[in-house]
Amino acid sequence: MSRAPSIPRSKIDDYSRDQASERRDFLYDKTGAQLSAVGHYTLDPQVVNGNIENFIGTLQMPLGVAGPLKIQGEAAQGDFYVPLATTEGTLVASYSRGMRVISECGGCKTAVTRHAMQRAPVFLLADVHLAKQFGAWLEQNFLQLKSVAESTTRSGKLVDVEQYPVGNMLYTRFNFTTGDAAGQNMTGKATFAACEWIVANCHLQPKYLLSGSIDTDKKHSAMNLIRTRGKRVIAEVVLKNDVVKRLLGVDTATLFRARQISNTGSFQAGSIYNGPHSANGIAALFIATGQDEANVAESHAGITHSQLLDNGDYYWSVTLPAVICGTYGGGTALPGQRECLELMDCYGAGKADKFAEIVAAVVLAGDISLGSAVLAGDWVSSHEQYGRNRK
């Protein structure tokens, strides 16, 4: 059986307009797809070196802006206009409505409460006794381990090593802080160096796999819900009853009753987020700002909590225990994505916590709007009016 022709590549310069054009011509010859829209772009192909392989062009993603969103956070403070990239009609309008409600109620408070990016090697020993001894050895040699790991990175810091023994194996989670980068590659490199040092220096002769899968990279897990992966972020707001009735068409008592019913449904379904829709806002904001979009799988997990206050106002919080984002490295330096980060003053060093707080605040705004729309009967009618591209 003959092998299909390989995609054209250049050993001299694979990131040029000519090379991208050659690949599009190749695909036209093989499939009949012209890719004319894909071939019209303004960025220099050289800038995507390190972001993508076999470059053929770009996709033009609709980009809208929601806001203003008033945030009184530890890192994010002020009124923010938030870029959202999506093809779902009504999404930007809905988030803008939720942001208006938050802002007219005085803004939301936000905080990053923990940092922990992991690589999670598993160590294989001859028996359970040696596995237990190895766990003690890791604790005794932590400072040397930390020095080796941190020698591979300028901004990564090894905080601790969690241990989870199973049979003659020791599963671990090497927890790092990663500065303004999301940090998966950084922690992988640092943990590999640490593991190689362990093998060379530990008399118990452990073997290892760099990932034993309890880091759950780009997958949700209950462990990350409790232990944190990336950044644990909280956003909260006290909604005034009169503002809720005026802007959302419901009252806070109805909102609270609906929250109880929704929590029960989420419990039955085994949902990893008990609010209306965290993934929508996170995905749209991640795409706009050059984040790794697959991190939505972890980042959208979370917990909403609410209270009906004695004065009729409504406390609403969102806790996201695994927000994985960065303001440096990866796709954040691409021209359009950088501009979107700059729109919120979130590009570059010292801005990652600020951006994470904005992420949580955006989720809170979206939940307020959608949760109220379902009760007020606006959900279907809004999608009919704004959300159907009938062309």
Side-chain angles (χ1 to χ4, degrees):
M1 184 176 179
S2 61
R3 186 174 182 270
S6 297
I7 297 170
R9 292 182 58 83
S10 170
K11 293 182 179 180
I12 300 173
D13 184 5
D14 205 44
Y15 292 88
S16 67
R17 289 184 179 274
D18 288 343
Q19 191 60 35
S21 178
E22 182 179 340
R23 279 190 279 265
R24 292 195 304 273
D25 291 342
F26 167 83
L27 293 171
Y28 175 73
D29 181 59
K30 300 303 176 187
T31 70
Q34 293 190 7
L35 301 177
S36 55
V38 168
H40 287 282
Y41 51 88
T42 58
L43 60 74
D44 180 353
Q46 296 294 333
V47 304
V48 302
N49 190 346
N51 295 114
I52 199 166
E53 300 75 43
N54 295 336
F55 175 76
I56 61 172
T58 64
L59 295 174
Q60 295 193 62
M61 183 80 171
L63 178 67
V65 61
L69 171 59
K70 183 179 290 295
I71 302 176
Q72 301 177 28
E74 290 187 341
Q77 298 180 4
D79 296 307
F80 294 90
Y81 296 91
V82 182
L84 299 173
T86 182
T87 57
E88 181 183 353
T90 75
L91 187 142
V92 174
S94 179
Y95 277 82
S96 281
R97 185 173 80 145
M99 291 175 188
R100 180 183 176 187
V101 173
I102 289 174
S103 297
E104 292 204 18
C105 291
C108 61
K109 296 179 180 179
T110 57
V112 175
T113 60
R114 187 171 186 235
H115 300 82
M117 176 51 68
Q118 299 82 20
R119 191 54 62 200
V122 55
F123 294 91
L124 315 175
L125 286 300
D127 58 42
V128 63
H129 292 162
L130 291 178
K132 184 176 180 180
Q133 292 174 41
F134 176 66
W137 186 91
L138 280 180
E139 293 177 354
Q140 294 162 7
N141 290 273
F142 174 75
L143 291 180
Q144 289 172 281
L145 198 64
K146 176 180 173 70
S147 177
V148 171
E150 293 178 4
S151 70
T152 67
T153 169
R154 289 176 296 177
S155 55
K157 303 296 179 184
L158 180 61
V159 178
D160 58 29
V161 179
E162 300 171 27
Q163 299 186 19
Y164 301 93
V166 178
N168 62 349
M169 300 177 290
L170 185 65
Y171 286 81
T172 63
R173 278 168 55 110
F174 283 54
N175 290 309
F176 293 82
T177 60
T178 59
D180 292 294
Q184 293 102 315
N185 294 334
M186 178 194 303
T187 57
K189 181 179 179 180
T191 304
F192 175 74
C195 289
E196 289 293 293
W197 181 86
I198 290 168
V199 169
N201 290 275
C202 181
H203 64 287
L204 299 170
Q205 298 182 317
K207 298 178 181 179
Y208 76 94
L209 297 176
L210 186 57
S211 176
S213 293
I214 65 169
D215 40 13
T216 61
D217 196 5
K218 299 178 182 176
K219 302 180 289 291
H220 165 71
S221 71
M223 179 172 281
N224 289 341
L225 192 68
I226 300 298
R227 300 296 301 162
T228 299
R229 180 166 169 81
K231 302 177 190 297
R232 191 176 194 92
V233 196
I234 298 171
E236 65 177 14
V237 67
V238 174
L239 299 177
K240 298 175 182 178
N241 191 28
D242 62 324
V243 174
V244 170
K245 288 193 287 187
R246 174 167 54 86
L247 296 181
L248 299 176
V250 296
D251 58 70
T252 54
T254 303
L255 273 178
F256 185 65
R257 176 59 177 150
R259 182 94 293 276
Q260 292 174 308
I261 295 169
S262 295
N263 271 336
T264 303
S266 296
F267 177 77
Q268 288 187 83
S271 297
I272 59 174
Y273 181 67
N274 66 326
H277 67 150
S278 58
N280 255 337
I282 296 173
L285 184 52
F286 274 20
I287 293 170
T289 56
Q291 309 301 312
D292 186 337
E293 62 276 8
N295 288 332
V296 175
E298 295 148 291
S299 300
H300 85 285
I303 303 165
T304 64
H305 169 67
S306 61
Q307 296 172 254
L308 185 61
L309 304 179
D310 292 340
N311 65 355
D313 291 345
Y314 188 75
Y315 171 87
W316 196 329
S317 71
V318 165
T319 300
L320 302 175
V323 173
I324 301 172
C325 63
T327 56
Y328 181 82
T332 63
L334 294 175
Q337 288 81 348
R338 176 172 177 166
E339 288 179 355
C340 286
L341 284 168
E342 290 174 340
L343 179 63
M344 301 174 288
D345 188 30
C346 284
Y347 179 75
K351 301 297 178 66
D353 280 4
K354 179 180 182 178
F355 180 68
E357 289 184 13
I358 293 172
V359 171
V362 167
V363 171
L364 180 61
D367 282 1
I368 290 169
S369 183
L370 178 58
S372 301
V374 172
L375 294 173
D378 298 330
W379 187 19
V380 173
S381 61
S382 295
H383 273 271
E384 281 294 306
Q385 183 175 356
Y386 297 110
R388 294 179 65 187
N389 188 338
R390 295 178 174 84
K391 294 181 180 178

